[in-house]
Amino acid sequence: MATTVCGVSISTRRAVFVKAEPLRPRQTHARILPLLDRGVRCRRRTVLVASAPSTPPDISEKVSESIKKAEEACAGDPVAGECAAAWDEVEELSAAASHARDKLKTDSDPLENYCKDNPETDECRTYDN
Amino acid sequence: MMVCSLYPALRVTTPWSCSESHLGSCRKQLMFCVSRRKARRRAWTGVSCSAETRTVVIGLAADSGCGKSTFMRRLTSVLGGVAEPPRGCNAYSNTLVGDATTVICLDDYHALDREGRKEKGVTALDPKANNFDLMYEQVRALKSGVAVEKPVYNHVTGCLDPPELIRPPNILFIEGLHPLFDPRIRSLLDFSIYLDISNEVKFAWKIQRDMAERGESLESIKASIKARKSDFDMYIDPQKQYADAIIEVLPTRLIPEKSATEVLRVRLVMREGVKHFTPVYLFDEGSTISWTPCGGKLSCSYPGIRFFYGPDTYFSDEASVLEMDGQFDRLDELIYVESHLSNLSTKYYGEVTQQMLKHADFPGSNDGTGLFQTIIGLKIRQLYEQIIAGESSHGWKREQLRRCLRLSPV
């Protein structure tokens, strides 16, 4: 039963999580998870997530600024080195924003962070059946 | 881990110090040659302490936004443990440290920071923006067991931060834009991988990454890709001819629409003749096989799965290609496919499936990207074990005997 609950809770989280996106080259993986009936590590706690994490505002601002600067730099001469360097900066900042979002996603659960350092405590014990 | 073997000895002669140590720890130990006189016969025996002194270096080359981080997380998971940023010091460190692995991002070796690149009008893809001499020196030092102070490039501020200490690990991954660019660094790599993402798929991934969250406009994404394309084609793309394994990601052929990128066709190109690396094959090594697993025994949902395996040439070198088109929908499809692949270097039946399920939330977990990345991880594990086993059994004993015989007997 606990296994089913875990499966359902994870896939529910996924359903809440995902916003409407125009192109999804990768499908959600929730369908594989509910079939893990045997030998699944099931945590005794359920994870509640309120909303999808967004980009930290400072990085988000930097990305917008860099896009504006790149558009200005390329307005004059689209082939010049400055234009390429400006768009490269946009790409770099977008990648940094994406990593920051992923980090927020993985860091969102304080219990997970605590259990990483203290796996032997009562709250963090896991049982494999 | 240190293993010391002691042979019976009478006297210790000149100790031979193995290697110079610069800054920090040197993991190699001293070796001694001892002489043992028997009645009319002088036999050399050796005393040696051998440690796991060899750092295996793996290179991963790919453009930005092509899934290097996901690949690294899968690889470090297969090799044991979780690789995380080093505690303390710099919150923007790009390095990941695990139990047996360390991942270094080659962006840390930028010679020019963001302002410098803007002034000179070069992108980060240009070799002029990178310090290959320092990269080579430090990778060589780490490979020989010497800790280094590696610079840190902060991707948010675009500046070079103070350096951080990196200790030599068992397996060192260097990932970035140019691991295969400099021939000196290429000579240090024990294995190299190139992630070759086709333009359509790269565009779709960047749209997903940048537009979904904050609505970056389609035009800005297109302009960014177009502006970087010429540098990418000139400096990054040619590296694939030097890689030992190439993972190509292309749009599917199973769906008739021309630009379908929701489902991926992934090809794993494995060069022949690479030391300690045996390619994965389907049914019969060296044959050309086309396999559709969906049918009587296995039912799949649209568009299904198709496999292809066969020998090929890649940049005029012999290679084997394993291709998967489509995606996994259910657990039993994954197990079914794994049971028909051979030479996976797994330690038990179902290891590939288990690794894929462990990271079911990673992108690519239901298609060939996740499958081939996991397989490459297992291959790297086998390569590492063979290198270490080879060195500890043959190399060291041969080396110490050679050095013992050179020293004059006392």
Side-chain angles (χ1 to χ4, degrees):
Chain A
M1 282 304 109
T3 331
T4 324
V5 167
C6 275
V8 166
S9 72
I10 292 170
S11 47
T12 310
R13 184 180 90 161
R14 259 218 201 272
V16 165
F17 230 66
V18 172
K19 288 184 183 171
E21 287 165 29
L23 269 165
R24 285 200 54 86
R26 298 171 186 143
Q27 301 221 347
T28 54
H29 314 295
R31 279 173 290 182
I32 289 183
L33 297 176
L35 292 166
L36 296 179
D37 284 326
R38 297 173 291 276
V40 172
R41 169 173 288 183
C42 179
R43 305 255 154 104
R44 292 199 297 177
R45 56 192 185 276
T46 49
V47 176
L48 294 172
V49 180
S51 62
S54 53
T55 320
D58 52 345
I59 301 182
S60 190
E61 264 176 50
K62 281 198 166 128
V63 176
S64 323
E65 273 173 38
S66 64
I67 294 177
K68 284 198 200 90
K69 280 190 207 157
E71 280 162 356
E72 281 162 22
C74 296
D77 182 5
V79 194
E82 285 84 22
C83 179
W87 282 118
D88 189 45
E89 185 185 333
V90 171
E91 169 62 33
E92 191 187 337
L93 284 166
S94 302
S98 162
H99 287 141
R101 280 196 295 274
D102 289 339
K103 198 155 176 289
L104 274 178
K105 223 188 284 185
T106 53
D107 285 352
S108 60
D109 186 8
L111 186 58
E112 287 280 357
N113 293 333
Y114 173 72
C115 288
K116 236 187 286 186
D117 297 326
N118 310 287
E120 70 289 346
T121 50
D122 282 342
E123 299 88 357
C124 302
R125 282 180 184 274
T126 54
Y127 297 89
D128 284 327
N129 282 319
Chain B
M1 195 185 79
M2 229 174 63
V3 170
C4 281
S5 48
L6 182 67
Y7 304 102
L10 290 179
R11 205 183 324 178
V12 172
T13 56
T14 321
W16 169 78
S17 170
C18 57
S19 67
E20 68 277 16
S21 61
H22 301 293
L23 11 111
S25 56
C26 177
R27 288 184 304 149
K28 285 187 183 164
Q29 306 296 316
L30 289 178
M31 285 189 349
F32 300 88
C33 281
V34 303
S35 66
R36 180 193 169 102
R37 277 184 207 235
K38 282 187 178 172
R40 284 196 209 138
R41 201 173 54 138
R42 187 179 299 148
W44 286 101
T45 49
V47 175
S48 76
C49 290
S50 64
E52 275 174 17
T53 59
R54 175 87 144 81
T55 293
V56 171
V57 186
I58 315 282
L60 171 63
D63 192 12
S64 158
C66 289
K68 284 197 295 282
S69 316
T70 309
F71 197 167
M72 278 298 126
R73 280 152 78 197
R74 264 192 229 279
L75 285 179
T76 47
S77 165
V78 166
L79 296 165
V82 176
E84 286 169 339
R87 300 273 166 106
C89 299
N90 196 336
Y92 293 107
S93 167
N94 304 310
T95 313
L96 298 173
V97 178
D99 297 334
T101 56
T102 293
V103 181
I104 285 183
C105 178
L106 293 180
D107 287 347
D108 290 332
Y109 293 103
H110 279 331
L112 301 169
D113 61 9
R114 205 176 283 157
E115 286 303 318
R117 291 201 297 272
K118 226 187 285 196
E119 277 166 33
K120 297 221 168 149
V122 297
T123 62
L125 303 163
D126 198 317
K128 288 197 284 267
N130 297 284
N131 186 347
F132 288 106
D133 294 331
L134 181 65
M135 204 190 287
Y136 169 64
E137 288 299 327
Q138 296 207 333
V139 173
R140 191 179 62 166
L142 284 168
K143 184 162 180 162
S144 55
V146 176
V148 298
E149 292 275 346
K150 181 187 64 72
V152 177
Y153 177 75
N154 189 325
H155 281 104
V156 175
T157 60
C159 303
L160 285 161
D161 287 348
E164 60 185 355
L165 179 71
I166 303 289
R167 291 197 176 80
N170 295 345
I171 305 180
L172 175 69
F173 286 98
I174 55 172
E175 56 100 351
L177 297 164
H178 304 99
L180 299 169
F181 187 82
D182 192 307
R184 299 172 295 177
I185 300 172
R186 276 204 299 268
S187 66
L188 293 173
L189 297 176
D190 292 295
F191 192 72
S192 52
I193 309 151
Y194 184 88
L195 274 179
D196 186 9
I197 315 294
S198 77
N199 294 327
E200 301 92 343
V201 176
K202 204 186 283 189
F203 184 47
W205 285 3
K206 290 208 168 152
I207 287 174
Q208 188 193 23
R209 187 189 73 181
D210 296 334
M211 272 185 74
E213 220 3 90
R214 42 171 312 282
E216 205 175 304
S217 72
L218 201 62
E219 283 74 32
S220 69
I221 299 176
K222 273 190 192 160
S224 168
I225 294 178
K226 195 172 157 192
R228 295 171 84 248
K229 196 164 186 325
S230 67
D231 273 358
F232 176 79
D233 291 338
M234 208 176 341
Y235 303 119
I236 312 298
D237 207 44
Q239 292 179 87
K240 63 188 179 191
Q241 60 186 297
Y242 304 114
D244 297 319
I246 299 100
I247 297 183
E248 293 180 3
V249 182
L250 307 140
T252 184
R253 277 190 194 152
L254 300 174
I255 298 176
E257 285 91 51
K258 211 173 153 192
S259 60
T261 50
E262 288 83 5
V263 179
L264 298 173
R265 178 165 79 104
V266 189
R267 304 178 81 229
L268 175 61
V269 181
M270 298 164 280
R271 265 192 218 282
E272 297 285 349
V274 176
K275 212 173 166 194
H276 303 300
F277 175 66
T278 46
V280 181
Y281 65 89
L282 198 53
F283 304 129
D284 182 27
E285 204 170 1
S287 310
T288 302
I289 313 276
S290 180
W291 180 46
T292 307
C294 309
K297 275 190 198 166
L298 187 72
S299 57
C300 316
S301 55
Y302 182 78
I305 305 172
R306 204 169 291 173
F307 273 87
F308 170 80
Y309 164 76
D312 204 350
T313 51
Y314 192 76
F315 283 95
S316 64
D317 285 334
E318 279 181 19
S320 313
V321 179
L322 178 63
E323 175 182 316
M324 173 179 161
D325 198 350
Q327 50 193 45
F328 299 112
D329 211 32
R330 298 192 324 272
L331 177 61
D332 47 349
E333 290 170 15
L334 192 42
I335 293 183
Y336 190 81
V337 162
E338 184 185 345
S339 61
H340 288 84
L341 288 168
S342 307
N343 221 355
L344 285 170
S345 309
T346 50
K347 291 201 168 148
Y348 53 87
Y349 175 71
E351 190 175 9
V352 173
T353 305
Q354 190 177 43
Q355 281 292 334
M356 296 270 287
L357 289 174
K358 200 165 140 193
H359 303 294
D361 55 334
F362 285 4
S365 296
N366 62 343
D367 59 36
T369 46
L371 177 65
F372 293 151
Q373 287 174 3
T374 307
I375 293 175
I376 290 283
L378 296 168
K379 289 286 171 197
I380 290 176
R381 184 180 65 185
Q382 183 191 47
L383 178 130
Y384 169 72
E385 286 167 357
Q386 285 182 357
I387 289 178
I388 295 301
E391 295 229 333
S392 60
S393 62
H394 300 298
W396 276 110
K397 284 191 179 144
R398 200 166 42 232
E399 229 6 76
Q400 88 197 34
L401 187 62
R402 196 171 62 82
R403 288 191 164 93
C404 283
L405 291 172
R406 262 203 217 137
L407 293 173
S408 55
V410 177

